[in-house]
Amino acid sequence: MLFLNKLFNKLSLFSRLFITSLLLLISFIAVLYFYAVKQVSALNAETRNEITTHIDEVHALYKEDGLEAVLDEYELEDTPKFDHKTFLSRLDEHEITFALLSADGELITGAESLTFQNGWHRKRYRFNDEMIQAIGFGKRFDDGTSLILQTPMNHDIYEVRRQTKQAVLLLIVFALVSFPVIYWVARNYLSSQSSQLAKQVFEVSNDPSNQRLEEYKSNHTFYGLGKSINQMLDEMTKVHKQAQTMTVGIAHDLKTPLSRVANRIQMMQQDLDDKAHMLTHIDKANSELQSIVQTFSNLIRLNEIESGKRKAGFKLLNVSDLVLELSESYAPVFEDAGKQLTISVVDGVRCLGDADLLNQLISNLLENALRYSEEQANVWIRLQSQFDGARLQIGDSGPGINSEIAAFVFERFYRADYSRKQPGNGLGLSIVKAICDLHDATITLLPNQAGAVFDIELPIER
């Protein structure tokens, strides 16, 4: 079925219309044919029932009342036996024609030209330059007599067949006449619609970021195409904005360290004879270059995560052990910074994932809390089991993130004004969001909190 669908899609408009019309024509003819067959079968059944009833009546009359009763009943007193011409004449006038034979095969009464033939049979006769199609039935009785009865085919059967042939012919003629008209109308309609669509696409191309194709109704010829183009434009606009943001972010984050490196080189030229100053300049320049390398490393890492290639290597992980181990390793770091890290982890939480990426997710959020939370802040990490997943929450007691900028914190290179004094490149939370997306998890910066609280809904394996 899929192969036929692909083949149909490759055909030209003319070929599609021709095949569709042909299939419709064949379907109509098939319906008419089966209807005619059903009608003819019903009429044949009626005719056969009449014939068998007459045979039984003729034999019963002959057996009970004798030959004279049969002759009287069927008005054969003058011609108890008649020749082939009379037989055809009676058949043409739709009269009952039969032949009653004795046990030794002698004709008792009826048509001389009828010979015994057991069971149902059909015959064709020519009379007055017309063909008569008859149906007959022969039966041998227990007393040795046999009876053959023939009658013309039901006239209604011919009528059904004639009307069916006429209907089929009309359908064929209608198809031959209407197909060119339908093709011409469809071609002109599609041409006008495609011209209109092309005009809109041209207008949109002048301002792809803001313009979109008109909303198409569900029965519109180009509904799917127009919708797809709008979706493509939305994605292109999104990618374009991301590229702009990335370009500006890279330029902003590289400008300062590169300027500092340039300044250090100039200072090194001035202090060539001062070894102590030279070492300081080299150390500072190296530090700035390391931050630049880290920016590009994070970009490569982010691209790797968003590509989805790591998902192929997902394994069943004990998230509880992973979170607990990493959190405990950070506890001394928070203590040295004068901050407290509270750890609350339930046992037995498992999920399919990448341990390295989940470790980076947690590390980035803990580093974020360590760097931007207030002095002597309380920071917590919690892992709770829920009905349809697990909740990982990392938060701090303040100062939090302004609600006006909360929607932008996961964008690349986005850094709030208060954080620009801190080292970093604005990619940490972007990497966290990418890791969550890869694991089919959702991450939310909870609103109306004293500090920054990140809430992660993680699907788990039960």
Side-chain angles (χ1 to χ4, degrees):
M1 193 68 182
L2 184 61
F3 170 76
L4 292 177
N5 186 47
K6 289 182 178 179
L7 182 63
F8 187 78
N9 289 333
K10 292 181 179 179
L11 297 176
S12 64
L13 174 63
F14 179 84
S15 300
R16 293 185 189 184
L17 285 173
F18 177 77
I19 292 174
T20 303
S21 301
L22 184 62
L23 290 175
L24 286 174
L25 180 63
I26 293 173
S27 299
F28 280 125
I29 292 175
V31 170
L32 285 172
Y33 172 77
F34 286 115
Y35 173 77
V37 168
K38 185 178 180 181
Q39 293 292 101
V40 169
S41 298
L43 292 171
N44 273 331
E46 182 181 348
T47 301
R48 292 188 178 204
N49 185 55
E50 290 178 359
I51 290 174
T52 54
T53 300
H54 275 297
I55 283 181
D56 291 336
E57 288 178 353
V58 171
H59 183 263
L61 191 62
Y62 172 74
K63 189 174 181 181
E64 293 175 6
D65 300 324
L67 177 61
E68 292 184 1
V70 175
L71 298 177
D72 181 61
E73 176 69 23
Y74 292 96
E75 300 177 355
L76 296 174
E77 299 92 340
D78 297 333
T79 54
K81 299 179 182 180
F82 46 87
D83 58 16
H84 187 63
K85 185 175 181 180
T86 304
F87 161 71
L88 293 178
S89 176
R90 292 175 66 87
L91 201 63
D92 185 56
E93 294 174 0
H94 294 273
E95 295 183 13
I96 296 294
T97 56
F98 62 88
L100 179 63
L101 306 177
S102 64
D104 55 4
E106 294 293 328
L107 178 68
I108 299 174
T109 183
E112 296 175 345
S113 57
L114 285 178
T115 56
F116 180 75
Q117 189 174 351
N118 191 44
W120 293 102
H121 55 272
R122 291 187 182 185
K123 296 214 174 198
R124 301 181 71 183
Y125 304 99
R126 181 174 290 279
F127 182 71
N128 293 336
D129 296 328
E130 292 185 1
M131 294 299 298
I132 301 175
Q133 187 168 347
I135 183 171
F137 185 73
K139 184 176 181 180
R140 195 181 301 278
F141 296 93
D142 295 338
D143 59 0
T145 59
S146 54
L147 189 61
I148 310 101
L149 189 148
Q150 283 192 1
T151 185
M153 294 287 289
N154 194 317
H155 178 73
D156 292 337
I157 293 177
Y158 292 106
E159 188 65 21
V160 169
R161 289 176 175 173
R162 184 184 67 81
Q163 292 178 358
T164 302
K165 289 179 181 179
Q166 288 181 346
V168 170
L169 183 62
L170 285 173
L171 279 173
I172 294 174
V173 172
F174 174 77
L176 293 175
V177 173
S178 62
F179 176 71
V181 177
I182 294 173
Y183 174 74
W184 181 82
V185 172
R187 183 167 184 172
N188 280 272
Y189 172 76
L190 291 175
S191 177
S192 65
Q193 293 299 316
S194 60
S195 297
Q196 182 181 354
L197 181 64
K199 181 180 178 182
Q200 289 188 35
V201 171
F202 177 76
E203 292 174 354
V204 169
S205 65
N206 293 323
D207 188 11
S209 297
N210 300 314
Q211 296 291 332
R212 291 293 180 269
L213 300 181
E214 293 179 1
E215 291 294 328
Y216 290 97
K217 296 179 180 179
S218 58
N219 62 348
H220 196 283
T221 307
F222 293 104
Y223 170 73
L225 178 60
K227 187 177 180 181
S228 298
I229 291 175
N230 282 339
Q231 290 176 345
M232 179 188 69
L233 289 170
D234 291 340
E235 289 298 318
M236 289 176 62
T237 301
K238 181 180 177 182
V239 171
H240 180 64
K241 288 182 178 179
Q242 287 179 346
Q244 285 182 323
T245 302
M246 184 184 300
T247 302
V248 173
I250 292 175
H252 186 279
D253 276 32
L254 295 186
K255 180 181 178 181
T256 301
L258 286 175
S259 297
R260 290 174 179 168
V261 170
N263 290 334
R264 287 292 171 181
I265 292 175
Q266 290 179 356
M267 295 171 70
M268 288 168 64
Q269 290 176 336
Q270 297 173 4
D271 297 331
L272 288 175
D273 298 328
D274 192 332
K275 184 177 180 181
H277 284 170
M278 283 290 291
L279 291 175
T280 301
H281 297 325
I282 293 173
D283 184 59
K284 294 292 184 181
N286 182 63
S287 177
E288 297 295 344
L289 289 173
Q290 287 299 320
S291 69
I292 295 172
V293 172
Q294 185 61 43
T295 297
F296 284 105
S297 296
N298 285 338
L299 280 173
I300 294 171
R301 181 72 159 170
L302 184 58
N303 181 70
E304 177 192 12
I305 295 169
E306 290 180 340
S307 70
K309 295 178 181 178
R310 297 288 290 267
K311 199 161 190 174
F314 275 16
K315 297 179 180 178
L316 185 61
L317 305 173
N318 188 321
V319 183
S320 300
D321 291 347
L322 185 146
V323 173
L324 186 60
E325 182 179 349
L326 186 60
S327 302
E328 288 178 346
S329 69
Y330 265 91
V333 180
F334 277 88
E335 186 176 348
D336 291 342
K339 302 177 182 182
Q340 181 179 358
L341 177 62
T342 304
I343 304 170
S344 176
V345 177
V346 297
D347 295 330
V349 176
R350 299 177 181 274
C351 81
L352 287 174
D354 186 301
D356 178 46
L357 292 180
L358 289 177
N359 274 324
Q360 183 168 7
L361 179 151
I362 298 168
S363 296
N364 284 9
L365 291 177
L366 289 176
E367 291 284 352
N368 198 71
L370 183 65
R371 185 176 299 169
Y372 300 115
S373 61
E374 63 184 357
E375 294 183 3
Q376 299 182 344
N378 292 319
V379 181
W380 64 87
I381 179 167
R382 300 169 185 159
L383 179 65
Q384 300 172 331
S385 181
Q386 298 185 145
F387 174 73
D388 56 349
R391 169 174 288 180
L392 175 63
Q393 191 175 89
I394 299 175
D396 58 68
S397 57
I401 299 175
N402 192 305
S403 59
E404 295 180 358
I405 64 173
F408 307 103
V409 295
F410 296 112
E411 293 185 4
R412 297 183 183 187
F413 295 106
Y414 182 82
R415 299 181 70 193
D417 292 339
Y418 68 85
S419 66
R420 292 201 175 274
K421 296 179 182 179
Q422 300 282 352
N425 49 39
L427 292 173
L429 292 181
S430 299
I431 292 175
V432 168
K433 180 66 168 60
I435 294 172
C436 285
D437 291 342
L438 187 67
H439 286 79
D440 299 322
T442 59
I443 181 168
T444 307
L445 177 60
L446 296 183
N448 304 320
Q449 302 293 314
V453 181
F454 293 91
D455 193 76
I456 299 172
E457 298 286 341
L458 186 69
I460 61 174
E461 185 78 11
R462 293 185 180 277

